[in-house]
Amino acid sequence: MKHCLMIVTVGLAALAATGPASAEGPALEKKNLTIAVGGSISQMNKVAYFVALNRKYFEQEGLSVDSNAFASGTAALQSLVGGSADVAEGAFEHTLRMQTKGVNITCLVPYGRYPGNVLVVRKSEADNIKTVADLKGKKIGVSAPGSSTHNFVAGLIERAGANWKDASYISIGTGPSAVAAMKTGGELDALVNLDPAINALVAEGDASILVDSRTEQGTKDAFGGSYLADCLMVKNDFLKANPNTSQAITNAIVHAMQWLKTASIDDIIKSLPPSYYKNDEKLYRMSLERNLSAFQWDGLVTPEAANNVLASIAVLDPALKQAKIDFSLTYDNRLIETALKKYHSPLSQ
């Protein structure tokens, strides 16, 4: 599925927001970009990216973007590593994993500070699973093996003093497939997923929430502090060869996050193609309300947040605990700081 910035149709509000292109700025080394997007367009962890895409913020920076959706973040990453994409949209954790494999990838700008993963329990099991430790011996649905949802629940179980291997994990995907997996039969006792799937399950009485990382407090409870979720990432070689283009990409996302600080839910809906929410607009609106604060920030990376991501993914991959990660190769706040000077909002204090 493709979303091309040159042809995508958006609401009048988005068109009105389009300002002059950044032709006056430094010349772009590469104007035409292919971005590989991991997962469904309806997932809430991609709001800031799709706002930048559909409000034409990339175009304002002089870029033409071909946005290609892949089934998962891993598939999008493979497209980046394989060279068929210039940029990948996905979890920050990929920059850490790939460095241990000799591939250096930089997160240009993270736009999600809360992972958005929610651990829910089947309503019929709520009396038996009252704490994370009670998941021992249970069947838990995750989007895919080794995914952020898998990391999330495994880390929770370890921090609860249990062994994550004492539970069973079943791949159920995200979105409608996750909802269907919980609704049909009794195979799953619990699952971890994102909105709008979580809102759908809770609203219809199929599940109850055990741990919620859609908020600041929920993220602290799950990871012990700040965290980094999704971002736009490029190979380090691309960053070195295309510094002006990399800055333009960063500008577009920071612009979107600054806009999101004052945007209403109606503003956001009007800025997106109906195909993003037409299946259930009420559910989409509810999901935006629950997840919007994750994108209302400046995007600056802290060492604490980066280290918390490493600690989280090391639960499933213990070898990472001994890995010598050079965090300076995984992010560069200078790009974000430059973008903030251009699109700084008074609310960013």
Side-chain angles (χ1 to χ4, degrees), residues 13-14 21 220 281 295 337:
K220 288 181 178 179
E281 183 174 338
F295 311 103
E337 289 165 350

Side-chain angles (χ1 to χ4, degrees), residues 19-81:
S22 59
E24 304 162 355
L28 301 180
E29 302 86 3
K30 186 176 178 62
K31 294 183 178 181
N32 299 315
L33 299 174
T34 298
I35 299 181
V37 181
S40 168
I41 60 175
S42 66
Q43 285 180 210
M44 289 295 109
N45 58 336
K46 309 180 192 309
V47 169
Y49 170 71
F50 284 121
V51 163
L53 182 71
N54 293 295
R55 289 182 66 83
K56 298 183 180 294
Y57 290 164
F58 290 105
E59 280 189 0
Q60 290 184 38
E61 299 297 330
L63 300 168
S64 175
V65 172
D66 187 17
S67 183
N68 299 327
F70 287 78
S72 67
T74 300
L77 177 68
Q78 291 171 344
S79 181
L80 175 68
V81 174

Side-chain angles (χ1 to χ4, degrees), residues 197-337:
I198 293 298
N199 271 332
L201 288 169
V202 173
E204 294 175 20
D206 296 300
S208 57
I209 295 174
L210 197 58
V211 182
D212 188 342
S213 72
R214 294 176 293 187
T215 65
E216 180 179 8
Q217 188 57 52
T219 297
K220 288 181 178 179
D221 291 343
F223 300 100
S226 56
Y227 201 80
L228 299 170
D230 277 39
C231 67
L232 287 189
M233 62 193 83
V234 296
K235 290 181 182 177
N236 287 45
D237 289 343
F238 179 96
L239 175 58
K240 292 176 182 177
N242 304 278
N244 296 336
T245 297
S246 296
Q247 184 64 65
I249 296 168
T250 304
N251 288 350
I253 296 296
V254 169
H255 190 178
M257 289 192 291
Q258 294 297 305
W259 180 79
L260 283 166
K261 287 182 177 180
T262 58
S264 67
I265 299 300
D266 282 341
D267 290 335
I268 300 172
I269 291 290
K270 290 175 183 177
S271 297
L272 299 175
S275 60
Y276 285 34
Y277 55 82
K278 67 179 181 181
N279 288 338
D280 192 333
E281 183 174 338
K282 181 180 178 181
L283 177 63
Y284 194 85
R285 284 175 175 273
M286 184 189 305
S287 298
L288 281 174
E289 291 171 357
R290 298 277 175 84
N291 291 269
L292 190 54
S293 61
F295 311 103
Q296 295 173 321
W297 71 311
D298 291 339
L300 293 169
V301 180
T302 64
E304 177 198 18
N307 275 291
N308 281 341
V309 175
L310 179 60
S312 174
I313 64 176
V315 173
L316 290 183
D317 189 355
L320 288 171
K321 296 177 181 178
Q322 284 74 46
K324 297 185 181 300
I325 300 293
D326 184 349
F327 284 100
S328 69
L329 297 178
T330 65
Y331 68 90
D332 187 346
N333 276 333
R334 291 175 297 180
L335 295 170
I336 303 166
E337 289 165 350

